[in-house]
Amino acid sequence: PAKPAPVEQPTLGAEPLNLLDRYATNLIGRDFVVGDLYGCRDMLDAMLTEIGFDKSRDRLFCTGNVGGYGPDSVACYALLTERWFHAVAGTTESTLLRAVSQADFRWQQWMNNGGMWASLLERQQLQAIADLVAELPLAIVVGTGEERFNVIHGEFYGPDEALEDALENITTMTPVPRSLQWGNDLVEGKVGAGCQDGLSLTFSGRTVVQEMCRV
């Protein structure tokens, strides 16, 4: 009998869809999710070494706030050019985009809140980072069915279908929920149980906690 043709391995790339990026289940490696990086590239690299991260097969998803208070925000934002690294836009990214686009932006306020790194860059360097950040989605969906998980920065109320609808059918009458980037009511216990019925396992950052928790 003829030898069967080899099965083509799935690509690790994504197909952007508005503010929502979708990725197929990783059949050739492992998927990891990391919280907000805040410019701590050395710490991230150390963790990747510890878990034996394989950049040719594994993928790393980040909950946003890639840059910030840490010592190397530029190196962290350089990760946005790596095919194995995928992040959503956090509040830090929202602030960065306002900084490069608004003439009346309050720079000093940002400097006092994790933006000092940006003041050390030439304008065109900061713009280049902003161009990468502008391509980030507000949510990432990985896999389907029981294997599915979502990555956002803040929080979302409702089932998977509502999350997708919110990001794929944006109009002036139905804007993107602000909670996707700025919400932290769930982790602070301000929202009752049941508000996320129908939502797949969802990883989020935004609020600093002592250890990973599930709400």
Side-chain angles (χ1 to χ4, degrees):
K3 184 178 180 180
V7 177
E8 184 177 355
Q9 294 286 9
T11 175
L12 293 185
E15 295 181 0
L17 183 59
N18 262 345
L19 298 178
L20 175 69
D21 276 2
R22 298 177 184 272
Y23 294 80
T25 299
N26 188 353
L27 300 179
I28 63 173
R30 302 170 295 171
D31 283 344
F32 297 90
V33 180
V34 66
D36 302 0
L37 295 182
Y38 280 120
C40 298
R41 179 64 187 269
D42 286 347
M43 292 177 62
L44 175 65
D45 289 342
M47 287 190 292
L48 294 180
T49 298
E50 183 177 347
I51 63 176
F53 189 87
D54 184 344
K55 295 178 181 179
S56 68
R57 304 167 67 87
D58 300 334
R59 299 184 299 197
L60 181 65
F61 297 93
C62 175
T63 61
N65 281 14
V66 178
Y69 297 94
D72 207 342
S73 291
V74 174
C76 281
Y77 279 119
L79 290 168
L80 300 183
T81 64
E82 300 286 352
R83 65 187 301 270
W84 50 267
F85 182 85
H86 311 282
V88 296
T91 55
T92 296
E93 285 69 54
S94 176
T95 302
L96 171 57
L97 293 178
R98 293 202 308 273
V100 299
S101 63
Q102 297 179 359
D104 59 348
F105 180 74
R106 298 179 180 179
W107 280 90
Q108 190 55 54
Q109 183 176 346
W110 190 28
M111 297 302 101
N112 296 335
N113 290 276
M116 186 62 69
W117 64 273
S119 67
L120 305 177
L121 302 183
E122 297 291 338
R123 171 71 187 197
Q124 71 178 63
Q125 292 177 292
L126 189 60
Q127 183 64 59
I129 294 175
D131 289 343
L132 292 174
V133 166
E135 298 297 320
L136 296 180
L138 289 182
I140 290 174
V141 172
V142 181
T144 59
E146 295 183 354
E147 295 182 335
R148 169 174 169 155
F149 65 87
N150 308 317
V151 181
I152 60 177
H153 180 64
E155 60 194 7
F156 183 78
Y157 311 134
D160 288 335
E161 294 79 7
L163 172 64
E164 294 167 4
D165 185 66
L167 295 172
E168 294 174 356
N169 299 289
I170 302 168
T171 68
T172 55
M173 297 297 293
T174 57
V176 174
R178 191 173 187 272
S179 65
L180 277 171
Q181 273 188 312
W182 297 90
N184 58 2
D185 287 345
L186 277 169
V187 73
E188 293 184 355
K190 298 178 181 178
V191 180
C195 65
Q196 292 183 303
D197 288 348
L199 189 67
S200 296
L201 177 64
T202 299
F203 296 91
S204 64
R206 176 78 174 100
T207 304
V208 177
V209 293
Q210 293 302 312
E211 59 184 21
M212 186 175 179
C213 61
R214 187 165 185 170
V215 294

